[in-house]
Amino acid sequence: MSKIARRKFIQLSAVATAACFVRPGKEVQAEDLPKLSEDDPTAQAMKYVHDASTVDAAARANPAAEQNCANCALIQGEDGAEWRPCQIFPGKVVNANGWCSVWAPKA
Ligand code: SF4
């Protein structure tokens, strides 16, 4: 398995695992959830930061400076909210201006 294919497999596995924690029919209230810390071990593993503008574009999975949580396919909650739930970090909210290495384009 190539290094890139293995990375994609790990990312998709993380998404699938996160999806197991999503309870259908239960609406997540973002204001009730704690903010994800950049020091959280999972956040560090996924290279999460609150401010995507601080990320070196060369470090991104597919370099594109405009990537952030607000335009990621895995973000949840209401458009325009500063802190929103994310499928990768169940039980926490991420900054809409943040970024992590699992970023995926919206369909
Ligand atoms: Fe979640 Fe996407 Fe932001 Fe990563 S980039 S923390 S997967 S919303």
Side-chain angles (χ1 to χ4, degrees):
M1 186 180 292
S2 75
K3 190 173 183 179
I4 291 175
R6 184 172 57 235
R7 180 184 306 152
K8 198 66 184 172
F9 173 78
I10 291 169
Q11 290 174 345
L12 292 174
S13 296
V15 171
T17 301
C20 293
F21 293 101
V22 176
R23 290 182 286 172
K26 174 122 173 76
E27 189 69 31
V28 175
Q29 300 296 319
E31 60 270 13
D32 297 335
L33 299 175
K35 295 174 182 173
L36 177 66
S37 168
E38 291 180 348
D39 296 329
D40 181 289
T42 306
Q44 290 186 334
M46 301 297 179
K47 301 178 181 172
Y48 171 81
V49 293
H50 295 315
D51 183 355
S53 70
T54 64
V55 178
D56 178 3
R60 296 177 188 242
N62 45 351
E66 65 276 8
Q67 293 177 4
N68 60 41
C69 293
N71 62 25
C72 175
L74 302 171
I75 195 79
Q76 300 177 312
E78 292 185 30
D79 284 342
E82 183 179 6
W83 293 90
R84 299 170 62 180
C86 165
Q87 294 177 42
I88 297 299
F89 300 104
K92 306 263 175 75
V93 286
V94 298
N95 193 295
N97 295 318
W99 180 86
C100 86
S101 60
V102 186
W103 183 92
K106 290 185 178 178

